[in-house]
Amino acid sequence: MAHVSLSCPQLLELDFQSCHKLSDNAIRQAATSCPLLTKLDMSSCSCVTDETLREIASTCPNLSALDASNCPNIAFESVRLPMLMDLRLLSCEGVTSASMAAIAYSRLLEVVISFICLLTSVSLDLPHLRNISLVHLRKFADLNLRSPVLSYVKVSRCSALHRVSITSSALQKLVLQKQESLSSLSLQCHNLIDVDLSDCESLTNTICEVFSDGGGCPMLRSLILDNCESLSIVELNSSSLASLSLAGCRSMTFLRLSCPNLQNVNLDGCDHLESASFCPVGLESLNLGICPKLNVLRIEAPNISILELKGCGVLSQASISCPRLLSLDASFCRQLVDDSLSRMAEACPLIEHLILSSCLAIGIDGLSSLHCLHQLTLLDLSYTFLVNLKPVFDSCPQLKILKLSACKYLSDTSLDALYTEGALPMLVELDLSYSSIGQAAIDYLLARCTNLVNVNLNGCTNLQELVCGSDGCSSVDLPVDFCLPGSASIRNEEISMCSGRLLEVLNCTGCPNINKVVIPSWANYQHLSKINLNLSTNLKEVDLTCSSLYALNLSNCNSLEVLKLDCPRLNNLQLLACIMLQEEELESAISFCSALEILNVHSCPKINALDFGRLRGVCPSLKRIQSNLMS
């Protein structure tokens, strides 16, 4: 269409979108013949000029919506549209910062500006402006907005933008993601709640003043500063802030938060943080285990219950005041000293779980201070250089779980108090994996610590055999009605001790020197349900009579030749790679396991797949046999 003639004095809306061949004059005459026009779309009309816009403005005083997108010849200069509320200027190459002065004379509610190369700044003081979108403005560097009703701001892909100033009483959410050049931000937004400044790489430490009390955002609750890599010192003092994310701020070395209502904080990737203070905060949990360079820590958090410091290897100064703290994991805090532990124990009396694995600087004084923790039930001292456990026995009588894995300097006498003095009477789980504890101490533990439910002896090189019913309870090898002269009282005490065993789980994985495991019926392990002897390569003999045993793992016991089982509840038997076990021995063993359903004989060359029918014959309950040939 190259020509149009209109005479419509009552027309309210006119759409010339993509009428490429219409001349500037034709559009002018058509629009000006409609004096009541309120909405005009002339997008992609390449011939339109500012002269036409000015004449339309004077002829159509009620025009409230204008779309002039893709009109390369307009600059919007000296165009006054006082009733204009909705303006769209997409890919208008002639629009510049000077054009904004004309826009400021309108009653604009919504502005959309994008793909304009020459626009370097936008400064609008519009009392009715509610929404503004600024997208793909390559040279756009400065944004200044003032509107009491402004509620939506979109700024995207404006790579040169370095300064933003917004004043609004209605704005509640501000998203300025990936504005790489943004370095200055000024906000006077008294109802602003959520701010996302992710990937704003040029933001400096002064940004903290904007979001602290007195900075213009008194209602702010959520702040995201992820990957703001220029931030090195973050200090926030906000009475309203509830959620803060600083993930990926790798240059940050100092953090101080005084935010009493802070509920969530994300510090993932802040691997250069050296000093942190959380005083006070409303956090219920905190994970600082991703801050390997953290050296100084101060926490005052009345509501925190879980604190993770795992991996803070250089943490030497820690002041932790968390009266409701229940769980503290300080694994691998190798420089954490007794003084810090003592002050923490005094300030956090409700701790139930304390993990000090690989805390090599903790000594007798630190462990003695644990007497303040009357609720402590789990203590992990694995991978430490402890030689004396007396402070633990004296300070933590209520312990239920004690982990001493890889404590290479413990001797047999270190555990004497457990079975000679009745220390830790409530202990139900003991982990001695990879320790240097000897055969005699292990025998006494299993024989006399009858309250133990779970015992881990994985990788214990000094363990040579487990013959339950010997040593500590040797007299139970005799008939019940047999007594040596003058030994009646001793006999009764030992029978009582052995009859009350609570052991349910016994783990001896990877014990290279164990060669025999014997648990006869008179040993009274009535609750034992799981035994794991996997990778015990020198184990030759297993003889078990356990009425409650449910799972037995003998996989990779390459030397196993003798297998005797009387376990009526055994359901799962793992014999993977037991290369010395004969099929006759297996057949005899499972004939006394009437509940067995799962049998793994994969990589057992002496067990013939053709005899699986015989196995099911002697053990009809078998449902699944795993081998090289079938599963």
Side-chain angles (χ1 to χ4, degrees):
M1 183 172 65
H3 180 74
V4 62
S5 177
L6 295 178
S7 179
C8 305
Q10 303 297 317
L11 189 66
L12 299 178
E13 297 185 9
L14 181 57
D15 188 348
F16 285 133
Q17 181 181 0
S18 300
C19 293
H20 304 287
K21 295 185 178 181
L22 274 181
S23 66
D24 182 38
N25 186 58
I27 293 174
R28 184 189 316 162
Q29 290 181 0
T32 55
S33 66
C34 307
L36 298 183
L37 203 61
T38 61
K39 183 176 180 180
L40 175 60
D41 185 347
M42 51 183 187
S43 57
S44 300
C45 293
S46 56
C47 297
V48 177
T49 64
D50 277 354
E51 183 179 350
T52 294
L53 285 179
R54 284 192 289 270
E55 191 162 338
I56 291 174
S58 63
T59 307
C60 306
N62 296 319
L63 189 64
S64 60
L66 174 63
D67 189 345
S69 301
N70 298 296
C71 296
N73 295 318
I74 67 169
F76 225 86
E77 295 182 4
S78 302
V79 178
R80 302 290 185 267
L81 291 166
M83 301 302 293
L84 191 62
M85 292 187 290
D86 186 342
L87 175 62
R88 299 179 183 274
L89 298 173
L90 282 67
S91 299
C92 295
E93 298 174 3
V95 172
T96 65
S97 300
S99 307
M100 297 299 107
I103 294 174
Y105 282 94
S106 65
R107 296 171 53 88
L108 281 172
L109 300 179
E110 181 172 356
V111 177
V112 178
I113 301 175
S114 63
F115 296 97
I116 298 178
C117 300
L118 301 179
L119 187 64
T120 59
S121 66
V122 172
S123 181
L124 296 175
D125 187 348
L126 298 171
H128 303 289
L129 183 63
R130 294 181 180 176
N131 301 330
I132 184 168
S133 295
L134 303 165
V135 181
H136 277 289
L137 306 176
R138 289 186 296 173
K139 296 183 179 181
F140 181 50
D142 196 334
L143 174 63
N144 186 356
L145 299 175
R146 294 177 63 88
S147 172
V149 296
L150 182 64
S151 60
Y152 176 82
V153 177
K154 179 181 179 180
V155 179
S156 176
R157 301 189 181 183
C158 298
S159 57
L161 182 64
H162 70 265
R163 180 181 177 275
V164 172
S165 177
I166 301 175
T167 300
S168 170
S169 300
L171 190 63
Q172 294 188 343
K173 183 173 183 178
L174 178 62
V175 177
L176 295 173
Q177 296 178 346
K178 296 184 178 180
Q179 302 304 318
E180 297 92 343
S181 301
L182 183 62
S183 59
S184 175
L185 180 63
S186 175
L187 298 175
Q188 291 296 322
C189 303
H190 298 294
N191 289 301
L192 188 61
I193 296 174
D194 297 322
V195 175
D196 187 347
L197 297 172
S198 300
D199 300 290
C200 292
E201 301 173 357
S202 300
L203 281 178
T204 63
N205 299 332
T206 57
I207 193 65
C208 299
E209 300 174 6
V210 177
F211 302 115
S212 293
D213 288 344
C217 305
M219 303 296 290
L220 186 67
R221 291 189 56 80
S222 174
L223 176 60
I224 300 176
L225 295 170
D226 293 351
N227 302 311
C228 294
E229 297 185 357
S230 294
L231 293 179
S232 59
I233 298 176
V234 174
E235 297 184 81
L236 287 171
N237 179 0
S238 171
S239 56
S240 62
L241 191 64
S243 177
L244 173 65
S245 182
L246 293 163
C249 294
R250 301 187 183 279
S251 298
M252 183 173 62
T253 59
F254 181 90
L255 174 65
R256 186 170 74 180
L257 301 178
S258 180
C259 306
N261 291 307
L262 187 65
Q263 299 293 318
N264 299 291
V265 62
N266 184 357
L267 298 173
D268 290 349
C270 298
D271 46 18
H272 287 78
L273 185 63
E274 298 176 2
S275 177
S277 173
F278 303 83
C279 302
V281 290
L283 296 169
E284 295 183 1
S285 64
L286 177 61
N287 184 0
L288 293 171
I290 31 65
C291 304
K293 295 187 177 181
L294 187 64
N295 179 45
V296 179
L297 175 64
R298 184 185 175 201
I299 302 176
E300 291 180 13
N303 298 323
I304 201 168
S305 61
I306 300 174
L307 178 58
E308 294 275 350
L309 300 176
K310 186 175 183 179
C312 296
V314 297
L315 182 63
S316 59
Q317 302 177 47
S319 175
I320 301 172
S321 179
C322 304
R324 296 184 183 179
L325 186 63
L326 300 178
S327 176
L328 172 62
D329 187 346
S331 302
F332 303 100
C333 293
R334 292 185 171 89
Q335 296 187 23
L336 188 66
V337 296
D338 287 348
D339 183 58
S340 294
L341 180 60
S342 299
R343 285 187 280 109
M344 177 206 65
E346 184 176 350
C348 310
L350 299 183
I351 289 180
E352 297 177 0
H353 296 172
L354 180 58
I355 302 176
L356 299 173
S357 176
S358 295
C359 292
L360 305 182
I362 298 297
I364 292 177
D365 292 341
L367 295 177
S368 298
S369 70
L370 301 184
H371 71 274
C372 300
L373 306 180
H374 301 297
Q375 308 297 323
L376 187 64
T377 58
L378 182 153
L379 179 61
D380 189 345
L381 297 171
S382 301
Y383 295 91
T384 58
F385 297 151
L386 289 176
V387 295
N388 184 0
L389 291 175
K390 190 175 186 303
V392 176
F393 297 150
D394 293 344
S395 302
C396 311
Q398 73 285 351
L399 270 186
K400 293 183 179 180
I401 300 174
L402 178 60
K403 297 187 177 185
L404 301 169
S405 179
C407 292
K408 298 292 187 179
Y409 293 92
L410 288 179
S411 64
D412 286 9
T413 57
S414 301
L415 300 173
D416 282 354
L418 287 177
Y419 43 81
T420 61
E421 302 174 13
L424 306 184
M426 302 177 69
L427 192 68
V428 295
E429 181 175 336
L430 179 62
D431 189 349
L432 294 170
S433 300
Y434 307 101
S435 67
S436 56
I437 298 299
Q439 178 72 53
I442 293 173
D443 288 341
Y444 278 116
L445 280 171
L446 294 176
R448 298 187 178 183
C449 297
T450 58
N451 286 332
L452 287 174
V453 173
N454 191 327
V455 176
N456 293 318
L457 300 170
N458 302 319
C460 288
T461 56
N462 292 329
L463 180 61
Q464 297 179 357
E465 62 179 27
L466 281 175
V467 183
C468 299
S470 62
D471 295 316
C473 285
S474 58
S475 58
V476 298
D477 291 337
L478 303 175
V480 173
D481 58 353
F482 179 84
C483 288
L484 293 172
S487 64
S489 61
I490 299 175
R491 171 70 179 154
N492 291 336
E493 180 181 353
E494 289 179 336
I495 291 176
S496 175
M497 181 185 300
C498 292
S499 63
R501 300 185 192 283
L502 300 177
L503 187 65
E504 295 180 7
V505 179
L506 178 61
N507 288 315
C508 299
T509 298
C511 295
N513 298 314
I514 189 171
N515 57 70
K516 178 191 294 187
V517 176
V518 178
I519 303 179
S521 59
W522 57 80
N524 287 313
Y525 283 93
Q526 299 175 2
H527 301 282
L528 187 58
S529 61
K530 180 180 179 181
I531 299 177
N532 190 348
L533 292 159
N534 182 29
L535 293 168
S536 297
T537 53
N538 284 312
L539 182 62
K540 296 181 179 180
E541 179 182 350
V542 174
D543 187 346
L544 305 176
T545 304
C546 300
S547 59
S548 298
L549 190 64
Y550 181 85
L552 174 61
N553 189 349
L554 296 170
S555 295
N556 300 292
C557 295
N558 302 333
S559 302
L560 183 65
E561 296 178 349
V562 178
L563 179 61
K564 297 180 181 179
L565 302 175
D566 187 354
C567 306
R569 295 184 183 177
L570 185 64
N571 176 269
N572 189 327
L573 176 59
Q574 297 291 316
L575 297 169
L576 171 69
C578 291
I579 59 177
M580 300 300 293
L581 187 64
Q582 299 282 350
E583 58 188 70
E584 294 82 4
E585 190 73 15
L586 174 61
E587 183 180 326
S588 175
I590 64 174
S591 66
F592 295 95
C593 303
S594 57
L596 186 64
E597 295 184 357
I598 300 174
L599 174 63
N600 186 352
V601 289
H602 195 283
S603 301
C604 296
K606 296 189 177 183
I607 297 176
N608 194 331
L610 298 177
D611 289 334
F612 287 165
R614 293 179 57 188
L615 294 178
R616 288 192 168 96
V618 298
C619 185
S621 60
L622 269 175
K623 295 181 179 179
R624 183 178 181 185
I625 300 177
Q626 297 170 296
S627 75
N628 300 53
L629 301 179
M630 61 185 297
S631 61

